[in-house]
Amino acid sequence: MEVISTKKRLAEVLDPLRKEGKTIGLVPTMGALHAGHASLVKRSVAENDVTVVSVFVNPTQFNDKKDLENYPRDVEADEKLLSALNATYAFIPSVEEMYPEKDTRVFSYPPIDTVMEGARRPGHFNGVCQIVSKLFYAVQPTRAYFGEKDFQQIAVVKAMVKDLGIPVQIVPCPIVRQSDGLALSSRNALLSDDERKLALNISQTLIKSLTYAKDHTVSETHDFVVNTLNAIDGLEVQYYEIVDGNSLQDVSSWDDSDYIVGCITVFCGHIPVRLIDNIKYKG
Ligand code: PAF
């Protein structure tokens, strides 16, 4: 595996491969890689001739400076893992390489990017679109792989790709959970052992809500999840929304859509770590 830090070198290695008709898979990441990322890389390696994994903590998608500073980083371990997974290239650029000038582009895809994360993290999805579009231009992938833990991110990226006419197939990949159910996240590295135990309640409550939903309304199921988690000291639900999986708009009845997903964000612990998860009720 070659580690590449510039777009120029990326073009040098990828242009000839593209001319030969090779397929290119891109796995965009912010590093601190875990088994969830590994599943995306494995899938890309299986489905493409060449796999590029980008590792870049993108400053423009952090609306909170402290969150950016605290974001876990371990480039050495990332490189080792990517090499063991047979990624072809690790693209690990500097901030200056990706943003030689301030990116003033504005991406706006309401209502998909204005609900849930979009409403709580102003500018977040704009930053995601800025970096993902730059990565798409630099790599020109055949396919790009995204984890469904960031459910809304996939919908926003799909809207952007359609808007800009970028010829890439977006491949959503299922959430990877630890054996006890905790959704894998780079942010889990910020949890103490006790906080990890607290965090486990999130997936467990979502799973219980699948059974609860069978004989309760959407609103009752929403309240079940929120009240169960808020009753636990050290957890605070920021939002729980039960939405149509395509439009991301709230549903009021289980009959409103064939594709219904519950998306949650919870603050966990005393220096709170913001964790997200989701569960599919239908579809
Ligand atoms: O999901 C992430 O890790 C990031 O939002 C992404 C897609 C790599 C863009 O920085």
Side-chain angles (χ1 to χ4, degrees):
M1 182 186 78
E2 181 180 338
V3 179
I4 293 179
S5 61
T6 65
K7 286 178 276 179
K8 185 167 172 280
R9 176 68 190 150
L10 204 53
E12 272 168 22
V13 296
L14 293 181
D15 287 354
L17 293 168
R18 218 175 285 110
K19 277 187 195 127
E20 281 171 36
K22 303 275 192 220
T23 54
I24 301 174
L26 170 67
V27 184
T29 82
M30 296 208 297
L33 302 177
H34 50 66
H37 297 110
S39 76
L40 307 182
V41 177
K42 281 183 197 158
R43 181 145 175 206
S44 174
V45 168
E47 294 180 354
N48 300 280
D49 299 312
V50 174
T51 287
V52 179
V53 182
S54 61
V55 175
F56 180 68
V57 182
N58 173 39
T60 71
Q61 71 188 75
F62 286 82
N63 56 315
D64 175 351
K65 257 194 174 178
K66 274 208 181 124
D67 193 21
L68 172 60
E69 279 165 22
N70 293 337
Y71 199 81
R73 293 166 169 86
D74 192 347
V75 177
E76 230 174 84
D78 291 347
E79 284 180 20
K80 265 194 203 150
L81 178 67
L82 294 178
S83 175
L85 291 167
N86 291 325
T88 327
Y89 300 107
F91 179 48
I92 312 185
S94 64
V95 173
E96 294 70 36
E97 178 67 17
M98 293 318 287
Y99 295 104
E101 280 155 31
K102 189 173 158 57
D103 194 338
T104 54
R105 293 173 302 158
V106 176
F107 297 86
S108 174
Y109 303 111
I112 282 173
D113 63 348
T114 52
V115 295
M116 299 194 288
E117 292 298 283
R120 275 87 183 181
R121 301 183 69 190
H124 168 66
F125 286 124
N126 197 54
V128 169
C129 288
Q130 288 178 339
I131 191 62
V132 173
S133 60
K134 279 173 181 275
L135 291 169
F136 284 173
Y137 293 136
V139 176
Q140 298 171 46
T142 320
R143 303 182 183 89
Y145 296 79
F146 293 86
E148 283 185 331
K149 190 172 73 63
D150 295 294
F151 190 79
Q152 188 175 7
Q153 173 169 273
I154 296 180
V156 173
V157 168
K158 279 186 178 167
M160 178 194 77
V161 160
K162 194 170 165 205
D163 175 34
L164 301 181
I166 300 177
V168 58
Q169 184 193 337
I170 303 301
V171 185
C173 302
I175 298 181
V176 177
R177 298 183 183 278
Q178 288 189 325
S179 54
D180 56 13
L182 185 69
L184 291 185
S185 162
S186 301
R187 290 175 195 269
N188 293 353
L190 303 172
L191 299 170
S192 67
D193 288 350
D194 285 347
E195 287 168 342
R196 193 193 172 286
K197 278 184 203 142
L198 279 180
L200 199 49
N201 287 288
I202 303 169
S203 55
Q204 287 178 344
T205 304
L206 290 179
I207 289 163
K208 275 187 204 150
S209 80
L210 292 177
T211 312
Y212 187 91
K214 288 193 179 131
D215 45 17
H216 291 87
T217 64
V218 169
S219 155
E220 287 164 345
T221 305
H222 168 274
D223 292 352
F224 167 77
V225 169
V226 173
N227 295 338
T228 305
L229 291 172
N230 280 343
I232 299 166
D233 194 27
L235 292 183
E236 189 195 326
V237 176
Q238 189 181 32
Y239 67 82
Y240 186 51
E241 294 197 17
I242 300 178
V243 299
D244 173 281
N246 292 314
S247 71
L248 305 191
Q249 301 307 290
D250 285 348
V251 295
S252 49
S253 149
W254 298 119
D255 296 328
D256 279 358
S257 167
D258 294 333
Y259 183 23
I260 298 183
V261 181
C263 298
I264 196 159
T265 292
V266 181
F267 291 110
C268 176
H270 297 295
I271 308 172
V273 180
R274 194 172 181 276
L275 298 173
I276 66 174
D277 201 343
N278 62 75
I279 196 129
K280 219 172 273 179
Y281 291 101
K282 265 177 107 175

